[in-house]
Amino acid sequence: MNHAPDTRSGALLPQPAGPGPAGPGKDGPGKDGPGRNGSGKDGPVPPDPARLVPGLRIRFGPVRLRVARRPLAAGCGLAVALLAVAVATLGTGDFQVSPADVLKALAGQGTPATDYVVNSLRLPRLAVGVIVGAALGLSGAVFQSLARNPLGSPDLIGFETGAATGALLQILVFGGGPFAVALGAVGGGFATALTVYLLAYRRGVQGYRLIVVGIAAGALLSSVNAYLMVEASIDEAQAAAVWLTGSLNGRGWDQFGPAALAIGLLLPAVLLLGRHLRLMEAGDDAAKALGVPVERSRALLVVCAVLLSAVATASAGPISFVALAAPQLARRLGRAAGVSLLPSALMGALLLCLSDLAAQRVVAPIQLPVGIMTAAIGGLYLVWLLLHEWRSGRR
């Protein structure tokens, strides 16, 4: 029995004995002679690897990559859409700027007025939105892949709630400044993730246990946050409530710098571990058989994803549903078999910037916190996701 590549999936499918690629028949003359492969030796013709894994081959010096065409096209489309939303965000408002003038101002060739409005007033907020959305999308992709469940998002399994608890303790109890609040958010998110990981660990961490324990931890921490708000003074509670909603109002280069530095360090680490992540999606036993250090890779990925989520929360407050929706939308757009990391980051940035544009313009001149807009959109998405999963389970 010979094997031939399946033109749809690239997998080897068993084929009945008969004419093969080497010639029209077992004893008939072929291109390389009767019963011989391309090397001139007897034996089956080896499959061409380029046909087994369809995609575009990219080479950077000694590094060779194979990228599937559909996810690559989806990523390019997301980047173009993000650029369009960015130009619209920078050009609309009380002082209207045309797209051409926005591009000139970004290139340093605008008038003093457009340069001030675009580069000094609006660009810092947009930059924070892009970096925070990308961090949330990437963090959600890692957690959903590890949990093998589309509900395995850091905002649903309590990690963002833990980061909010750390920040609230700094705001309401210790009276810390912005830097202390950011450190409190990172510390709270990391402590919550460590606790959930240890409680869910039983000869390894399974996605179902991680989600259940995370939801329970999130509910417990939500009650702690509510207690802190009740015990605070009215002024402190109002300031904390604005922060808890999640907003980009007043965000600038002070928040962008630390967040960009953190993500610049974490993104390469996540991409390097991405190969192990895709193999672990097939199951721990299969990944171990392929030589993947499963527990060590999972622990490193959890640390990176928690830090990404905590940095995003420290920069803009807890913003819900972006980490939940971005990976699934990117996967469906690219028709990928698993969660795609870079398209998820681009989708997260696009969702957050689009939500912030709507929050600024829908009820203008009132500017809503972006967390309200993402919660409204994300609630509808969560209902659709649950109905889709329920119907899939009934088939």
Side-chain angles (χ1 to χ4, degrees):
M1 179 176 292
N2 297 330
H3 292 78
D6 180 15
T7 56
R8 291 175 300 175
S9 62
L12 289 176
L13 298 179
Q15 300 291 330
K26 186 171 65 174
D27 299 328
K31 181 180 179 182
D32 299 305
R36 295 175 181 271
N37 57 24
S39 63
K41 299 179 180 179
D42 293 335
V45 178
D48 184 4
R51 295 182 178 179
L52 298 180
V53 184
L56 183 65
R57 285 179 293 180
I58 301 175
R59 182 172 182 176
F60 299 98
V63 180
R64 296 179 180 180
L65 300 175
R66 180 174 290 277
V67 182
R69 297 180 186 276
R70 177 84 185 190
L72 179 62
C76 294
L78 288 172
V80 173
L82 179 60
L83 179 61
V85 172
V87 171
T89 302
L90 295 174
T92 57
D94 295 335
F95 187 86
Q96 297 287 337
V97 183
S98 67
D101 290 336
V102 169
L103 296 178
K104 288 181 179 178
L106 291 176
Q109 300 176 353
T111 64
T114 58
D115 181 70
Y116 174 75
V117 171
V118 172
N119 292 327
S120 299
L121 291 183
R122 297 173 182 171
L123 183 59
R125 173 172 177 159
L126 174 69
V128 175
V130 171
I131 207 74
V132 168
L136 291 175
L138 192 59
S139 175
V142 173
F143 276 119
Q144 290 181 11
S145 180
L146 289 176
R148 301 168 204 163
N149 193 309
L151 296 178
S153 173
D155 50 346
L156 288 186
I157 58 179
F159 296 166
E160 287 192 9
T161 309
T165 303
L168 283 181
L169 286 174
Q170 287 291 342
I171 295 173
L172 302 177
V173 178
F174 302 109
F179 183 72
V181 172
L183 287 182
V186 174
F190 193 80
T192 303
L194 180 62
T195 304
V196 170
Y197 187 88
L198 292 177
L199 291 176
Y201 190 88
R202 183 180 297 173
R203 297 178 182 177
V205 176
Q206 300 298 322
Y208 177 76
R209 286 204 303 269
L210 183 70
I211 292 175
V212 172
V213 174
I215 290 175
L220 177 63
L221 291 171
S222 295
S223 65
V224 174
N225 294 347
Y227 174 78
L228 292 173
M229 295 286 289
V230 170
E231 292 297 318
S233 65
I234 294 179
D235 294 337
E236 292 176 337
Q238 287 179 342
V242 172
W243 189 88
L244 279 177
T245 306
S247 176
L248 294 176
N249 294 337
R251 301 305 193 272
W253 298 122
D254 292 340
Q255 289 77 29
F256 175 79
L261 177 62
I263 293 175
L265 295 175
L266 292 171
L267 179 60
V270 173
L271 294 180
L272 286 175
L273 293 168
R275 185 171 61 90
H276 292 175
L277 187 65
R278 293 185 181 89
L279 294 176
M280 287 191 291
E281 288 180 348
D284 289 356
D285 293 337
K288 289 177 181 177
L290 294 172
V292 176
V294 172
E295 290 305 324
R296 185 177 66 185
S297 299
R298 181 181 286 121
L300 290 174
L301 285 165
V302 167
V303 169
C304 292
V306 167
L307 289 177
L308 285 170
S309 175
V311 167
T313 304
S315 301
I319 297 176
S320 56
F321 290 110
V322 174
L324 173 71
Q328 293 301 314
L329 293 176
R331 184 175 70 85
R332 284 170 169 77
L333 186 63
R335 295 181 183 177
V339 176
S340 302
L341 296 177
L342 284 179
S344 298
L346 288 171
M347 180 63 80
L350 176 62
L351 287 178
L352 188 57
C353 291
L354 195 60
S355 299
D356 188 48
L357 177 61
Q360 294 182 65
R361 305 291 177 252
V362 168
V363 290
I366 299 175
Q367 293 193 8
L368 297 175
V370 68
I372 294 178
M373 196 60 65
T374 59
I377 299 174
L380 297 175
Y381 169 77
L382 182 59
V383 171
W384 173 84
L385 180 62
L386 292 175
L387 287 176
H388 178 76
E389 294 296 318
W390 178 69
R391 290 173 179 172
S392 300
R394 288 174 61 90
R395 291 173 185 172

Short mmCIF file of all heavy atoms in Angstrom, two decimals, residues 70-130:
data_model
loop_
_atom_site.label_atom_id
_atom_site.label_comp_id
_atom_site.label_asym_id
_atom_site.label_seq_id
_atom_site.Cartn_x
_atom_site.Cartn_y
_atom_site.Cartn_z
N ARG A 70 -3.41 32.08 4.43
CA ARG A 70 -4.63 32.70 4.94
C ARG A 70 -4.39 33.51 6.22
O ARG A 70 -4.78 34.68 6.30
CB ARG A 70 -5.68 31.62 5.18
CG ARG A 70 -6.98 32.12 5.77
CD ARG A 70 -7.91 32.64 4.71
NE ARG A 70 -9.10 33.22 5.30
CZ ARG A 70 -10.17 33.57 4.62
NH1 ARG A 70 -10.18 33.38 3.31
NH2 ARG A 70 -11.23 34.07 5.20
N PRO A 71 -3.71 32.95 7.25
CA PRO A 71 -3.41 33.77 8.43
C PRO A 71 -2.53 34.98 8.11
O PRO A 71 -2.67 36.04 8.71
CB PRO A 71 -2.70 32.80 9.38
CG PRO A 71 -3.20 31.47 8.97
CD PRO A 71 -3.36 31.54 7.49
N LEU A 72 -1.59 34.81 7.13
CA LEU A 72 -0.75 35.94 6.75
C LEU A 72 -1.59 37.05 6.13
O LEU A 72 -1.41 38.24 6.44
CB LEU A 72 0.33 35.48 5.78
CG LEU A 72 1.29 36.56 5.28
CD1 LEU A 72 2.08 37.15 6.44
CD2 LEU A 72 2.24 35.99 4.23
N ALA A 73 -2.54 36.65 5.26
CA ALA A 73 -3.42 37.65 4.65
C ALA A 73 -4.31 38.30 5.71
O ALA A 73 -4.56 39.52 5.67
CB ALA A 73 -4.27 36.99 3.56
N ALA A 74 -4.78 37.49 6.68
CA ALA A 74 -5.60 38.05 7.76
C ALA A 74 -4.81 39.05 8.59
O ALA A 74 -5.33 40.12 8.96
CB ALA A 74 -6.14 36.93 8.64
N GLY A 75 -3.54 38.73 8.88
CA GLY A 75 -2.72 39.66 9.65
C GLY A 75 -2.48 40.96 8.91
O GLY A 75 -2.54 42.05 9.50
N CYS A 76 -2.22 40.86 7.61
CA CYS A 76 -2.03 42.09 6.81
C CYS A 76 -3.31 42.92 6.79
O CYS A 76 -3.27 44.16 6.89
CB CYS A 76 -1.59 41.73 5.40
SG CYS A 76 0.04 40.95 5.30
N GLY A 77 -4.46 42.24 6.65
CA GLY A 77 -5.73 42.96 6.65
C GLY A 77 -5.99 43.64 7.97
O GLY A 77 -6.49 44.78 8.02
N LEU A 78 -5.66 42.97 9.09
CA LEU A 78 -5.85 43.58 10.41
C LEU A 78 -4.95 44.80 10.59
O LEU A 78 -5.35 45.80 11.18
CB LEU A 78 -5.57 42.54 11.50
CG LEU A 78 -6.61 41.44 11.66
CD1 LEU A 78 -6.12 40.37 12.64
CD2 LEU A 78 -7.92 42.03 12.17
N ALA A 79 -3.71 44.71 10.08
CA ALA A 79 -2.80 45.84 10.19
C ALA A 79 -3.32 47.04 9.41
O ALA A 79 -3.25 48.19 9.88
CB ALA A 79 -1.41 45.43 9.69
N VAL A 80 -3.86 46.80 8.22
CA VAL A 80 -4.43 47.89 7.42
C VAL A 80 -5.65 48.49 8.12
O VAL A 80 -5.82 49.72 8.18
CB VAL A 80 -4.79 47.38 6.02
CG1 VAL A 80 -5.54 48.44 5.24
CG2 VAL A 80 -3.53 46.97 5.26
N ALA A 81 -6.51 47.63 8.68
CA ALA A 81 -7.70 48.13 9.39
C ALA A 81 -7.30 48.94 10.62
O ALA A 81 -7.91 49.97 10.93
CB ALA A 81 -8.58 46.94 9.80
N LEU A 82 -6.26 48.48 11.33
CA LEU A 82 -5.79 49.23 12.50
C LEU A 82 -5.25 50.60 12.09
O LEU A 82 -5.49 51.60 12.78
CB LEU A 82 -4.71 48.42 13.21
CG LEU A 82 -4.07 49.07 14.44
CD1 LEU A 82 -5.13 49.34 15.51
CD2 LEU A 82 -2.96 48.18 15.01
N LEU A 83 -4.54 50.66 10.97
CA LEU A 83 -4.04 51.95 10.48
C LEU A 83 -5.19 52.88 10.12
O LEU A 83 -5.15 54.08 10.43
CB LEU A 83 -3.13 51.72 9.27
CG LEU A 83 -2.54 52.98 8.63
CD1 LEU A 83 -1.67 53.73 9.62
CD2 LEU A 83 -1.73 52.62 7.37
N ALA A 84 -6.24 52.33 9.50
CA ALA A 84 -7.40 53.16 9.13
C ALA A 84 -8.10 53.70 10.38
O ALA A 84 -8.47 54.89 10.43
CB ALA A 84 -8.37 52.34 8.29
N VAL A 85 -8.27 52.85 11.39
CA VAL A 85 -8.91 53.30 12.64
C VAL A 85 -8.03 54.35 13.33
O VAL A 85 -8.53 55.33 13.89
CB VAL A 85 -9.17 52.10 13.56
CG1 VAL A 85 -9.65 52.57 14.94
CG2 VAL A 85 -10.20 51.18 12.95
N ALA A 86 -6.72 54.16 13.27
CA ALA A 86 -5.82 55.12 13.90
C ALA A 86 -5.92 56.49 13.23
O ALA A 86 -5.98 57.53 13.90
CB ALA A 86 -4.38 54.60 13.83
N VAL A 87 -5.96 56.51 11.89
CA VAL A 87 -6.09 57.79 11.18
C VAL A 87 -7.42 58.46 11.51
O VAL A 87 -7.49 59.69 11.71
CB VAL A 87 -5.93 57.56 9.66
CG1 VAL A 87 -6.28 58.82 8.88
CG2 VAL A 87 -4.51 57.11 9.33
N ALA A 88 -8.50 57.65 11.57
CA ALA A 88 -9.81 58.21 11.92
C ALA A 88 -9.80 58.76 13.34
O ALA A 88 -10.38 59.82 13.61
CB ALA A 88 -10.88 57.14 11.76
N THR A 89 -9.16 58.07 14.27
CA THR A 89 -9.11 58.53 15.66
C THR A 89 -8.32 59.83 15.77
O THR A 89 -8.70 60.75 16.51
CB THR A 89 -8.46 57.46 16.54
OG1 THR A 89 -9.22 56.25 16.44
CG2 THR A 89 -8.41 57.89 18.00
N LEU A 90 -7.22 59.92 15.05
CA LEU A 90 -6.38 61.12 15.12
C LEU A 90 -7.00 62.31 14.40
O LEU A 90 -6.66 63.46 14.69
CB LEU A 90 -5.00 60.82 14.53
CG LEU A 90 -4.15 59.79 15.26
CD1 LEU A 90 -2.87 59.49 14.49
CD2 LEU A 90 -3.80 60.27 16.67
N GLY A 91 -7.91 62.04 13.46
CA GLY A 91 -8.44 63.13 12.65
C GLY A 91 -9.79 63.65 13.08
O GLY A 91 -10.22 64.71 12.59
N THR A 92 -10.52 62.93 13.94
CA THR A 92 -11.87 63.35 14.32
C THR A 92 -11.87 63.92 15.73
O THR A 92 -11.03 63.57 16.56
CB THR A 92 -12.84 62.16 14.25
OG1 THR A 92 -12.34 61.11 15.10
CG2 THR A 92 -12.96 61.65 12.84
N GLY A 93 -12.85 64.78 15.96
CA GLY A 93 -12.96 65.43 17.27
C GLY A 93 -13.39 66.87 17.11
O GLY A 93 -13.93 67.28 16.06
N ASP A 94 -13.19 67.66 18.15
CA ASP A 94 -13.57 69.08 18.06
C ASP A 94 -12.79 69.79 16.95
O ASP A 94 -13.29 70.72 16.32
CB ASP A 94 -13.29 69.76 19.41
CG ASP A 94 -14.18 69.20 20.50
OD1 ASP A 94 -15.27 68.68 20.16
OD2 ASP A 94 -13.79 69.27 21.69
N PHE A 95 -11.56 69.41 16.74
CA PHE A 95 -10.73 69.98 15.66
C PHE A 95 -10.53 68.90 14.61
O PHE A 95 -9.78 67.94 14.82
CB PHE A 95 -9.39 70.45 16.23
CG PHE A 95 -8.54 71.20 15.24
CD1 PHE A 95 -8.71 72.57 15.07
CD2 PHE A 95 -7.59 70.54 14.49
CE1 PHE A 95 -7.92 73.26 14.14
CE2 PHE A 95 -6.79 71.22 13.58
CZ PHE A 95 -6.97 72.58 13.40
N GLN A 96 -11.25 69.02 13.49
CA GLN A 96 -11.19 68.01 12.44
C GLN A 96 -9.90 68.15 11.62
O GLN A 96 -9.51 69.26 11.26
CB GLN A 96 -12.41 68.14 11.51
CG GLN A 96 -13.75 67.90 12.20
CD GLN A 96 -13.99 66.44 12.52
OE1 GLN A 96 -13.40 65.56 11.89
NE2 GLN A 96 -14.84 66.17 13.49
N VAL A 97 -9.30 67.02 11.36
CA VAL A 97 -8.08 66.97 10.54
C VAL A 97 -8.30 65.93 9.45
O VAL A 97 -8.73 64.80 9.74
CB VAL A 97 -6.84 66.61 11.39
CG1 VAL A 97 -5.59 66.64 10.52
CG2 VAL A 97 -6.70 67.56 12.56
N SER A 98 -8.03 66.29 8.22
CA SER A 98 -8.22 65.34 7.12
C SER A 98 -7.18 64.22 7.21
O SER A 98 -6.10 64.40 7.79
CB SER A 98 -8.08 66.06 5.78
OG SER A 98 -6.75 66.51 5.60
N PRO A 99 -7.50 63.04 6.62
CA PRO A 99 -6.53 61.93 6.66
C PRO A 99 -5.17 62.30 6.06
O PRO A 99 -4.13 61.88 6.58
CB PRO A 99 -7.23 60.84 5.84
CG PRO A 99 -8.69 61.12 6.00
CD PRO A 99 -8.79 62.62 6.06
N ALA A 100 -5.18 63.09 4.98
CA ALA A 100 -3.89 63.48 4.38
C ALA A 100 -3.08 64.34 5.35
O ALA A 100 -1.86 64.18 5.49
CB ALA A 100 -4.14 64.23 3.08
N ASP A 101 -3.76 65.28 6.04
CA ASP A 101 -3.04 66.12 7.00
C ASP A 101 -2.58 65.31 8.22
O ASP A 101 -1.56 65.63 8.84
CB ASP A 101 -3.94 67.27 7.45
CG ASP A 101 -4.17 68.28 6.33
OD1 ASP A 101 -3.32 68.34 5.41
OD2 ASP A 101 -5.20 68.99 6.36
N VAL A 102 -3.37 64.28 8.59
CA VAL A 102 -2.93 63.41 9.70
C VAL A 102 -1.62 62.71 9.34
O VAL A 102 -0.67 62.67 10.14
CB VAL A 102 -4.02 62.37 10.02
CG1 VAL A 102 -3.48 61.30 10.96
CG2 VAL A 102 -5.23 63.05 10.66
N LEU A 103 -1.56 62.18 8.12
CA LEU A 103 -0.34 61.49 7.70
C LEU A 103 0.84 62.47 7.60
O LEU A 103 1.98 62.12 7.95
CB LEU A 103 -0.57 60.81 6.35
CG LEU A 103 -1.63 59.68 6.37
CD1 LEU A 103 -1.82 59.11 4.97
CD2 LEU A 103 -1.21 58.58 7.34
N LYS A 104 0.56 63.71 7.14
CA LYS A 104 1.64 64.70 7.08
C LYS A 104 2.14 65.06 8.48
O LYS A 104 3.33 65.20 8.71
CB LYS A 104 1.13 65.96 6.37
CG LYS A 104 0.94 65.79 4.86
CD LYS A 104 0.47 67.11 4.24
CE LYS A 104 0.29 66.97 2.73
NZ LYS A 104 -0.23 68.22 2.12
N ALA A 105 1.20 65.19 9.42
CA ALA A 105 1.60 65.51 10.79
C ALA A 105 2.43 64.38 11.41
O ALA A 105 3.41 64.62 12.11
CB ALA A 105 0.36 65.79 11.64
N LEU A 106 2.03 63.14 11.13
CA LEU A 106 2.79 62.00 11.66
C LEU A 106 4.19 61.95 11.05
O LEU A 106 5.15 61.50 11.70
CB LEU A 106 2.06 60.69 11.36
CG LEU A 106 0.74 60.48 12.12
CD1 LEU A 106 0.06 59.19 11.66
CD2 LEU A 106 0.99 60.42 13.64
N ALA A 107 4.31 62.43 9.79
CA ALA A 107 5.63 62.44 9.13
C ALA A 107 6.44 63.68 9.48
O ALA A 107 7.55 63.84 8.96
CB ALA A 107 5.43 62.34 7.62
N GLY A 108 5.87 64.56 10.33
CA GLY A 108 6.59 65.77 10.71
C GLY A 108 6.50 66.89 9.71
O GLY A 108 7.32 67.82 9.75
N GLN A 109 5.52 66.82 8.78
CA GLN A 109 5.39 67.83 7.75
C GLN A 109 4.08 68.61 7.87
O GLN A 109 3.65 69.25 6.90
CB GLN A 109 5.48 67.18 6.36
CG GLN A 109 6.79 66.46 6.12
CD GLN A 109 6.82 65.73 4.79
OE1 GLN A 109 5.82 65.65 4.09
NE2 GLN A 109 7.98 65.19 4.44
N GLY A 110 3.40 68.53 9.01
CA GLY A 110 2.14 69.23 9.17
C GLY A 110 2.32 70.66 9.64
O GLY A 110 3.44 71.12 9.94
N THR A 111 1.20 71.37 9.70
CA THR A 111 1.23 72.73 10.23
C THR A 111 1.38 72.67 11.76
O THR A 111 1.15 71.62 12.37
CB THR A 111 -0.07 73.45 9.86
OG1 THR A 111 -1.17 72.77 10.51
CG2 THR A 111 -0.30 73.43 8.35
N PRO A 112 1.73 73.81 12.39
CA PRO A 112 1.85 73.77 13.86
C PRO A 112 0.56 73.36 14.54
O PRO A 112 0.60 72.64 15.56
CB PRO A 112 2.23 75.22 14.19
CG PRO A 112 2.94 75.72 12.97
CD PRO A 112 2.25 75.06 11.81
N ALA A 113 -0.59 73.76 13.99
CA ALA A 113 -1.87 73.39 14.62
C ALA A 113 -2.13 71.90 14.52
O ALA A 113 -2.47 71.23 15.51
CB ALA A 113 -3.01 74.19 13.97
N THR A 114 -2.01 71.36 13.31
CA THR A 114 -2.26 69.92 13.15
C THR A 114 -1.21 69.09 13.88
O THR A 114 -1.52 68.02 14.42
CB THR A 114 -2.28 69.54 11.66
OG1 THR A 114 -1.03 69.92 11.07
CG2 THR A 114 -3.43 70.25 10.95
N ASP A 115 0.01 69.57 13.90
CA ASP A 115 1.05 68.84 14.62
C ASP A 115 0.74 68.78 16.12
O ASP A 115 0.92 67.73 16.76
CB ASP A 115 2.41 69.53 14.39
CG ASP A 115 3.53 68.80 15.10
OD1 ASP A 115 3.88 67.69 14.69
OD2 ASP A 115 4.05 69.36 16.11
N TYR A 116 0.24 69.89 16.67
CA TYR A 116 -0.09 69.89 18.11
C TYR A 116 -1.28 68.97 18.40
O TYR A 116 -1.24 68.16 19.34
CB TYR A 116 -0.41 71.32 18.56
CG TYR A 116 -0.90 71.40 19.98
CD1 TYR A 116 -0.01 71.25 21.05
CD2 TYR A 116 -2.24 71.62 20.26
CE1 TYR A 116 -0.46 71.32 22.35
CE2 TYR A 116 -2.70 71.69 21.57
CZ TYR A 116 -1.80 71.54 22.61
OH TYR A 116 -2.25 71.60 23.91
N VAL A 117 -2.33 69.07 17.56
CA VAL A 117 -3.53 68.26 17.80
C VAL A 117 -3.24 66.77 17.61
O VAL A 117 -3.64 65.93 18.44
CB VAL A 117 -4.67 68.72 16.86
CG1 VAL A 117 -5.85 67.76 16.95
CG2 VAL A 117 -5.13 70.12 17.23
N VAL A 118 -2.55 66.43 16.54
CA VAL A 118 -2.34 65.02 16.22
C VAL A 118 -1.27 64.40 17.12
O VAL A 118 -1.50 63.37 17.77
CB VAL A 118 -1.95 64.87 14.73
CG1 VAL A 118 -1.53 63.44 14.43
CG2 VAL A 118 -3.12 65.26 13.84
N ASN A 119 -0.10 65.02 17.16
CA ASN A 119 1.04 64.38 17.83
C ASN A 119 1.07 64.61 19.34
O ASN A 119 1.60 63.78 20.07
CB ASN A 119 2.35 64.89 17.22
CG ASN A 119 2.52 64.42 15.79
OD1 ASN A 119 2.10 63.33 15.43
ND2 ASN A 119 3.14 65.25 14.97
N SER A 120 0.52 65.74 19.80
CA SER A 120 0.61 66.04 21.23
C SER A 120 -0.66 65.67 21.99
O SER A 120 -0.58 65.19 23.13
CB SER A 120 0.90 67.53 21.45
OG SER A 120 2.15 67.87 20.85
N LEU A 121 -1.83 65.86 21.37
CA LEU A 121 -3.08 65.62 22.09
C LEU A 121 -3.62 64.20 21.89
O LEU A 121 -4.05 63.57 22.86
CB LEU A 121 -4.14 66.64 21.64
CG LEU A 121 -3.90 68.09 22.06
CD1 LEU A 121 -5.06 68.97 21.60
CD2 LEU A 121 -3.71 68.22 23.56
N ARG A 122 -3.65 63.72 20.67
CA ARG A 122 -4.37 62.47 20.38
C ARG A 122 -3.46 61.25 20.23
O ARG A 122 -3.89 60.14 20.52
CB ARG A 122 -5.20 62.66 19.10
CG ARG A 122 -6.27 63.72 19.23
CD ARG A 122 -6.96 64.00 17.91
NE ARG A 122 -7.96 65.08 18.06
CZ ARG A 122 -8.59 65.66 17.05
NH1 ARG A 122 -8.31 65.28 15.80
NH2 ARG A 122 -9.47 66.61 17.26
N LEU A 123 -2.25 61.43 19.72
CA LEU A 123 -1.39 60.27 19.47
C LEU A 123 -1.01 59.52 20.75
O LEU A 123 -1.00 58.27 20.74
CB LEU A 123 -0.12 60.72 18.73
CG LEU A 123 0.84 59.59 18.33
CD1 LEU A 123 0.14 58.58 17.43
CD2 LEU A 123 2.07 60.17 17.64
N PRO A 124 -0.69 60.17 21.89
CA PRO A 124 -0.33 59.39 23.09
C PRO A 124 -1.44 58.44 23.54
O PRO A 124 -1.18 57.29 23.87
CB PRO A 124 -0.05 60.47 24.13
CG PRO A 124 0.33 61.66 23.35
CD PRO A 124 -0.50 61.62 22.11
N ARG A 125 -2.69 58.93 23.52
CA ARG A 125 -3.81 58.07 23.93
C ARG A 125 -3.97 56.89 22.96
O ARG A 125 -4.19 55.75 23.38
CB ARG A 125 -5.09 58.90 23.97
CG ARG A 125 -6.34 58.08 24.22
CD ARG A 125 -7.53 58.98 24.44
NE ARG A 125 -8.76 58.22 24.60
CZ ARG A 125 -9.84 58.70 25.19
NH1 ARG A 125 -9.85 59.93 25.67
NH2 ARG A 125 -10.92 57.95 25.30
N LEU A 126 -3.84 57.16 21.67
CA LEU A 126 -3.95 56.08 20.68
C LEU A 126 -2.83 55.06 20.87
O LEU A 126 -3.06 53.84 20.79
CB LEU A 126 -3.89 56.67 19.28
CG LEU A 126 -3.85 55.65 18.14
CD1 LEU A 126 -5.17 54.90 18.03
CD2 LEU A 126 -3.51 56.33 16.82
N ALA A 127 -1.61 55.53 21.13
CA ALA A 127 -0.49 54.61 21.31
C ALA A 127 -0.72 53.71 22.52
O ALA A 127 -0.42 52.50 22.47
CB ALA A 127 0.81 55.40 21.47
N VAL A 128 -1.24 54.26 23.61
CA VAL A 128 -1.54 53.43 24.78
C VAL A 128 -2.62 52.40 24.44
O VAL A 128 -2.54 51.23 24.84
CB VAL A 128 -1.98 54.31 25.96
CG1 VAL A 128 -2.42 53.45 27.14
CG2 VAL A 128 -0.83 55.22 26.39
N GLY A 129 -3.63 52.82 23.66
CA GLY A 129 -4.68 51.88 23.27
C GLY A 129 -4.14 50.73 22.43
O GLY A 129 -4.52 49.58 22.62
N VAL A 130 -3.23 51.04 21.50
CA VAL A 130 -2.65 49.99 20.66
C VAL A 130 -1.85 49.00 21.50
O VAL A 130 -2.01 47.77 21.37
CB VAL A 130 -1.76 50.61 19.57
CG1 VAL A 130 -0.97 49.53 18.83
CG2 VAL A 130 -2.61 51.39 18.58
#
